[in-house]
Amino acid sequence: MKAISETSLLLQAQRASQVCALLWQRGGIAAEPAADVFAAMPLLQNGLLQPISDNEYLDTPIAYTLTAPLLTAFSTLSLLGEWQLALLGLNPSFREHWLRLAAARCREAGNMRDPQMLIKIISQLGNASAWVLEELEGTSRNPQLCTGPLSDLEHELIGHSLHDNAALPALLRILKASYQLTGFAERSAHESDFTITSLPPIDPSAKALDNNWCAKRLLAIPYSLLNQTKPNAAWLLTECGSSSDTSSHLTLFTTQPWLFLLSLLVFVQDAWAAEQRDSLLLVLPSNQNAFSPTEISVVVQGIEGDEVNVGNLAAFLLALLNNLNISLYPKIPDTHDLNRALAPFIANLLSHQIWQFKEGGRNEAGLYSINSDFGDACYSLPLAPIFSYRSARLQQAIKQTARDIRAAKLINIQGSGL
């Protein structure tokens, strides 16, 4: 009977892990395969997967996408396989043997003269040490280091069974990530602040731009950084066409979300300057090619002309997306990598005459701004709707992000006595 139970457990875990791999590679999964995951890990329905629903049937999800907690969990792990096992750990039946292994490791380390090994294990477990302590206190048997029902799957996913000595760091990381995800899911089930509402699918026509860029949406990082992932353009904001397509600005903006975001940035820059309040400067440091910048500096200029450098363009965009509650898929890139990936977009914006560059004078940096012809086009059809009410939330967020970073920088400057 036990063999049948373990076989059934392994088959369910194998199927669920396969779907989790697809979930990671595409950023989301359709509702039908998601059902297999929910059967194995019901907690994933508690705020850990974002439902995508047809506008006509908002109560019936057609797909599910990743959420920030799942993306954060991945960033703490070394391999996709570890992430798959961490998700399986949401099911007490799957993680039961792993807790026994961790308990055995703790008992083994506790018998050593030097307490440092035990301290290290507990530290790496983080709050998941509560699970292990419960296992140590609640079992009458001595936990053993032996293979479990999922050992074949463990070996397939990470190259080791989790009872192996070499797999101890992975075991601790997996349990820690599972504990954190379990805690988030349990809070989501009981607290109204964590309630997840469905998002509509991506509208490729630009008629619902505000819905496309809504909170909790995923934005795929630039294509050059995506590696082996292939985001689903029906559910995620991602590049889904050629940036060299010059048929229309609308086509460009609906198929190239990073180009749209950068275009909106210079539109806000221009509109903000016209208000004669704060203003935004996009500065190219010296000895750089305007069509292939290594790094663009973002400067906020106050009403009285005082200038505060709020960081580079990549860092500013990351802060902006965080304020919009839009997560980057599959991970938050290093600012150096993102700045490098943005360079081809800058070249496209200049060649499409959306941005323009003005060389600085002697000892002055050059500046990027909106191309005057494109700026005029933003106030007339067909661009007026997407640069007015359909992107109002985005525009406000750009201004607020700039003001917030500027205020924080000024506090730091004043605090340092400079």
Side-chain angles (χ1 to χ4, degrees), residues 135-377:
E135 177 66 27
L136 283 167
E137 293 176 341
T139 181
S140 58
R141 58 183 179 273
N142 188 29
Q144 300 294 313
L145 292 170
C146 58
T147 60
L150 304 184
S151 59
D152 288 344
L153 179 61
E154 295 160 12
H155 196 279
E156 177 186 335
L157 293 179
I158 65 171
H160 297 280
S161 293
L162 287 176
H163 77 288
D164 293 343
N165 288 335
L168 176 57
L171 171 66
L172 303 180
R173 285 193 297 267
I174 289 165
L175 287 175
K176 182 179 180 179
S178 290
Y179 186 90
Q180 291 171 337
L181 291 173
T182 297
F184 182 89
E186 289 175 346
R187 290 195 300 274
S188 296
H190 298 100
E191 299 179 21
S192 58
D193 290 346
F194 287 85
T195 302
I196 269 203
T197 55
S198 295
L199 302 183
I202 297 292
D203 185 339
S205 69
K207 293 180 179 178
L209 192 73
D210 49 342
N211 288 333
N212 288 352
W213 285 84
C214 60
K216 299 184 180 179
R217 184 73 78 187
L218 293 183
L219 169 63
I221 59 180
Y223 184 79
S224 61
L225 301 177
L226 274 177
N227 202 1
Q228 296 180 353
T229 53
K230 297 180 180 179
N232 190 312
W235 311 323
L236 282 69
L237 292 164
T238 186
E239 298 170 55
C240 54
S242 172
S243 60
S244 61
D245 184 356
T246 57
S247 57
S248 73
H249 284 123
L250 283 179
T251 300
L252 198 65
F253 295 151
T254 55
T255 58
Q256 296 287 323
W258 286 97
L259 281 180
F260 170 69
L261 191 60
L262 291 168
S263 299
L264 191 64
L265 182 62
V266 291
F267 174 80
V268 170
Q269 175 195 42
D270 185 59
W272 208 357
E275 295 172 6
Q276 296 184 337
R277 297 180 181 178
D278 297 335
S279 60
L280 200 63
L281 303 177
L282 300 175
V283 181
L284 181 69
S286 59
N287 300 319
Q288 292 192 50
N289 184 336
F291 277 79
S292 185
T294 303
E295 182 177 295
I296 295 173
S297 296
V298 181
V299 174
V300 179
Q301 190 175 57
I303 299 175
E304 297 179 359
D306 56 308
E307 296 182 357
V308 177
N309 189 323
V310 299
N312 60 61
L313 180 59
F316 180 82
L317 293 178
L318 292 177
L320 168 63
L321 293 168
N322 183 63
N323 286 345
L324 288 167
N325 196 11
I326 291 176
S327 297
L328 284 177
Y329 164 82
K331 64 179 181 179
I332 298 175
D334 175 85
T335 54
H336 173 76
D337 291 337
L338 183 55
N339 276 317
R340 179 171 50 81
L342 291 174
F345 294 121
I346 306 303
N348 274 308
L349 289 164
L350 291 170
S351 63
H352 285 115
Q353 296 184 324
I354 294 172
W355 280 29
Q356 65 184 12
F357 179 73
K358 182 180 180 181
E359 294 279 1
R362 180 176 294 181
N363 299 323
E364 291 184 352
L367 297 173
Y368 292 100
S369 61
I370 197 167
N371 181 284
S372 56
D373 289 340
F374 176 73
D376 291 342

Side-chain angles (χ1 to χ4, degrees), residues 22-50:
L22 178 64
L23 169 65
W24 178 255
Q25 289 160 4
R26 304 301 304 275
I29 46 173
E32 186 175 349
D36 290 332
V37 175
F38 294 149
M41 294 95 81
L43 281 181
L44 277 174
Q45 285 187 285
N46 294 349
L48 289 173
L49 284 180
Q50 172 64 55

Side-chain angles (χ1 to χ4, degrees), residues 378-415:
C378 289
Y379 293 97
S380 59
L381 293 174
L383 294 182
I386 70 169
F387 281 92
S388 57
Y389 61 91
R390 289 180 186 164
S391 62
R393 188 175 70 94
L394 297 179
Q395 293 181 45
Q396 183 56 40
I398 290 172
K399 293 180 180 181
Q400 194 59 52
T401 300
R403 287 169 175 152
D404 289 347
I405 301 177
R406 178 178 184 271
K409 291 276 187 179
L410 285 174
I411 290 173
N412 289 338
I413 292 171
Q414 293 164 0

Side-chain angles (χ1 to χ4, degrees), residues 94-146:
F94 294 148
R95 71 171 180 260
E96 180 181 10
H97 181 72
W98 303 340
L99 291 175
R100 290 178 189 164
L101 292 178
R105 292 294 184 187
C106 286
R107 183 159 293 175
E108 181 182 67
N111 291 330
M112 297 178 180
R113 284 188 177 182
D114 187 348
Q116 289 304 311
M117 185 60 184
L118 179 59
I119 292 171
K120 183 178 179 180
I121 288 175
I122 293 173
S123 175
Q124 290 179 351
L125 277 169
N127 290 336
S129 58
W131 274 350
V132 179
L133 178 61
E134 186 179 336
E135 177 66 27
L136 283 167
E137 293 176 341
T139 181
S140 58
R141 58 183 179 273
N142 188 29
Q144 300 294 313
L145 292 170
C146 58

